[in-house]
């Protein structure tokens, strides 16, 4: 979109400087300033006399005197709109915009049908910081001269300063429909603004019209490539970019842009070939070397992720000239697909290499329960604190704890361990975090259901009488783990020693969360201190869903949920604030 700003700025800068330059060319070198001044005194109403005198002053390097002459002449003849306009034009060209506003306001009052007066007044007002006034004058100038494309572009320039993009689009469409030969610049500018509104198909129509008028403009081909990319038409995007590259084969920036499109399209091999070409031309370029290193580190999983998401984008709107992300729901569906692809990758990475990966998920809980059952079987004289089974009692304490700790552990390294994939344009830190968090929730719930089935098989009453409490406590434990995990994920990028400190805290939670005891047997002061631990509430809340008689008065189900949402909000805010820094460190 940089071309749009350049075009509009060029229209805005010194719109009538040519007046002074042309005037100076008309000055009579053989006639002295004194003679011109005497002639002006004899003909004070002769515009040509004023013109020649001011031009001679400019020729002599006295532009300020020329502007002052017009200002004095306008003050003397306040009913002359031409003198007022010339005073404003000269003052504008010299940067004396506040003074120019005074005389141009007079000119518009005397001749309200002269669009040039409003154009000059808009320019002076903009340069003086009076943008609201400038936009009114600029639009009025265009309305009075609807065949003038420069006036339209300047009105668009001022409207964009005020953030009124829709009004700017309306002005451009009006200009294109009115001007006999609007030229490619209007179409190109309109295409850029429509694209910012997310209407990529309409923007593509406009850039096609611009190219029909100026087929050799490389920047137009690049812009068209970007629009085709947004529409998910990757092959056409590469083809459009190739046309620009053919016209400017030494432009490495275009080739680098092509690499990004090829990667997004999932075409890893061509992206690698294009990057190799860049490295051949500039072997010491760090960016090209990093790009090649990134492609090489993607490996099979990264290539599959690229290809999978790219294919989904292509298939979302086959052969339609509609953007694949035009609404919030479209954007949400795209991110869901990315997260799903990452989740499948996590499953393959963690569990797919060996059967032991699946087995350990079950064995960890069995070992925990078995160890606790053996240790406390004798200390509690063969009877658990609640219920009839030591194994089931410890199961109800371990499930929320393991869900919390596993979620924290895996989410905490989501950014560090997915650095190559996080270089992909469509993958964000949050995607990687959510993929790991969701996988932990699914895994722990499946393990819980398997164990409940096993307990029922051995005639243990393991069906929860309060499904809401069971689901709520599981969600609360997971939410707390996700929130703290997001915070840890950001901190771990900056500090490699932090995880040692947090591991000690996690081990402490094992003894402070009521896993292998009932808080009712604790001293009240210690229990009140433990209630600040959200996992303490999650464990007791989970147990209330299985044991009818267990109703702890200290339980506050809302506390871990609030804690989870607060930590999650803090983590997401921290990630958003440091996102640029995180990308650079990766």
């Amino acid at each position: 979109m940089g071309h749009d700003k350049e075009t509009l700025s060029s229209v805005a800068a010194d719109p009538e400087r040519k007046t002074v330059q042309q005037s100076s060319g008309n000055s009579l070198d053989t006639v002295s300033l004194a003679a011109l001044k005497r002639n002006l005194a004899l003909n004070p109403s002769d515009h040509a006399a004023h013109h020649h005198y001011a031009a001679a002053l400019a020729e002599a390097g006295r532009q300020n005197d020329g502007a002052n002459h017009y200002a004095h002449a306008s003050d003397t003849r306040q009913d002359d709109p031409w003198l007022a306009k010339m005073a404003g034009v000269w003052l504008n060209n010299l940067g004396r915009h506040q003074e120019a506003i005074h005389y141009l306001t007079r000119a518009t009052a005397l001749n309200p049908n002269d669009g040039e007066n409003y154009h000059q007044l808009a320019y002076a007002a903009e340069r003086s910081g009076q943008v609201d006034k400038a936009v009114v004058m600029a639009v009025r100038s265009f309305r009075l001269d609807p065949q003038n494309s420069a006036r339209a572009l300047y009105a668009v320039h001022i409207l964009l300063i005020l953030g009124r993009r829709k009004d700017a689009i309306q002005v451009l469409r009006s200009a294109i429909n009115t001007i006999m030969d609007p030229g490619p610049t209007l179409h190109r500018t309109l295409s850029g603004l429509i694209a910012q509104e997310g209407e990529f198909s309409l923007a593509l129509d406009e850039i096609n019209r611009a190219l029909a008028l100026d087929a050799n403009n490389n920047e137009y081909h690049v812009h068209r490539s970007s629009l085709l990319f947004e529409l998910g038409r990757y092959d056409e995007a590469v083809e459009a970019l190739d046309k620009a590259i053919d016209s400017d084969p030494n432009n490495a920036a275009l080739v680098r842009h092509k690499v990004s499109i090829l990667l997004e399209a999932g075409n890893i091999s061509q992206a690698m070939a294009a990057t190799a070409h860049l490295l051949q031309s500039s072997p010491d370029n760090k960016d090209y070397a990093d790009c090649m290193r990134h492609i090489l580190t993607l490996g099979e999983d990264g290539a599959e992720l690229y290809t999978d998401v790219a294919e989904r984008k292509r298939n979302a709107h086959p052969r339609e000239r509609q953007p694949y992300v035009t609404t919030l729901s479209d954007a949400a569906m795209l991110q869901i697909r990315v997260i799903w692809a990452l989740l499948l990758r996590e499953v393959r990475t963690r569990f797919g290499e060996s059967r032991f990966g699946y087995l350990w998920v079950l064995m960890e809980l069995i070992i925990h329960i078995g160890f606790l059952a053996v240790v406390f079987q004798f200390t509690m004289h063969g009877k658990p604190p609640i219920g009839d089974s030591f194994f089931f009692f410890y199961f109800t304490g371990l499930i929320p704890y393991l869900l919390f700790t596993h979620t924290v552990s895996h989410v905490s390294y989501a950014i560090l361990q997915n650095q190559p994939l996080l270089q992909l344009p469509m993958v964000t830190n949050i995607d990687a975090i959510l993929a790991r968090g969701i996988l932990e929730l699914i895994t722990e719930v499946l393990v819980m259901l398997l164990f409940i089935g096993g307990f029922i098989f051995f005639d243990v009453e393991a069906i929860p009488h309060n499904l809401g409490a069971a689901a709520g406590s599981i969600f609360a434990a997971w939410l707390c783990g996700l929130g703290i995990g997001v915070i840890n994920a950001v901190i771990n990028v900056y500090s490699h020693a932090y995880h040692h400190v947090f591991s000690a805290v996690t081990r402490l939670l094992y003894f402070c969360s009521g896993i292998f005891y009932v808080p009712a047997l604790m001293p009240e002061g210690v229990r009140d201190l433990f209630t600040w631990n959200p996992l303490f509430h999650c464990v007791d809340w989970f147990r209330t869903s299985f044991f009818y008689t267990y109703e702890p008065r200290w339980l506050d189900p809302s506390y871990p949920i609030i804690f989870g949402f607060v930590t999650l909000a803090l983590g997401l805010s921290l990630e958003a604030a440091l996102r640029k820094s995180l990308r650079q460190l990766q």
Side-chain angles (χ1 to χ4, degrees), residues 28 31 68 150 175 272 278 320 380 416-417 469 502:
L28 302 176
V31 180
N68 292 336
M272 185 178 296
L278 287 172
E320 292 183 14
M380 293 188 177
L416 275 177
Q417 295 177 354
F502 191 80

Side-chain angles (χ1 to χ4, degrees), residues 108 112-122 137-138 140-141 144:
T108 57
N113 295 319
D114 187 348
E116 180 64 21
N117 290 337
Y118 294 104
H119 182 62
Q120 289 288 335
L121 182 54
M137 297 298 107
R140 188 173 299 174
S141 169
L144 288 170

Side-chain angles (χ1 to χ4, degrees), residues 409-420:
S409 175
H410 286 96
V411 169
S412 293
Y413 294 94
I415 298 177
L416 275 177
Q417 295 177 354
N418 284 289
Q419 287 182 357

Side-chain angles (χ1 to χ4, degrees), residues 115-249:
E116 180 64 21
N117 290 337
Y118 294 104
H119 182 62
Q120 289 288 335
L121 182 54
Y123 178 69
E126 180 208 351
R127 292 299 172 132
S128 300
Q130 304 175 41
V131 186
D132 289 331
K133 180 177 181 178
V135 74
V136 175
M137 297 298 107
V139 172
R140 188 173 299 174
S141 169
F142 167 65
R143 299 301 181 200
L144 288 170
D145 191 3
Q147 292 294 321
N148 192 320
S149 61
R151 301 277 172 82
L153 287 170
Y154 187 60
V156 168
H157 167 73
I158 304 295
L159 286 165
L160 292 178
I161 291 176
L162 292 171
R164 295 167 56 181
R165 189 164 57 224
K166 292 185 184 297
D167 291 335
I169 291 173
Q170 185 177 355
V171 168
L172 282 170
R173 282 176 170 158
S174 175
I176 289 172
N177 293 331
T178 304
I179 298 173
M180 295 290 294
D181 183 14
T185 302
L186 289 178
H187 290 292
R188 167 62 182 90
T189 306
L190 178 58
S191 175
L193 296 183
I194 294 176
Q196 292 177 35
E197 292 288 307
E199 299 178 5
F200 301 116
S201 285
L202 296 177
L204 183 61
D205 292 338
E206 291 300 328
I207 196 60
N208 286 337
R209 294 186 182 103
L211 280 167
L213 299 170
D214 187 2
N216 296 321
N217 192 309
N218 269 12
E219 194 280 330
Y220 292 1
H221 286 293
V222 174
H223 176 63
R224 182 171 181 270
S225 173
S226 298
L227 295 174
L228 290 166
F229 171 81
E230 294 291 348
L231 290 165
R233 295 159 59 176
Y234 300 121
D235 294 338
E236 294 175 75
V238 172
E239 182 182 347
L241 197 58
D242 280 339
K243 291 181 180 179
I245 294 173
D246 290 341
S247 300
D248 189 6

Side-chain angles (χ1 to χ4, degrees), residues 201 231-233 236 314 316-324:
S201 285
L231 290 165
R233 295 159 59 176
E236 294 175 75
R314 285 192 182 97
H317 298 283
R319 299 188 181 277
E320 292 183 14
R321 300 177 68 180
Q322 297 293 331
Y324 65 83

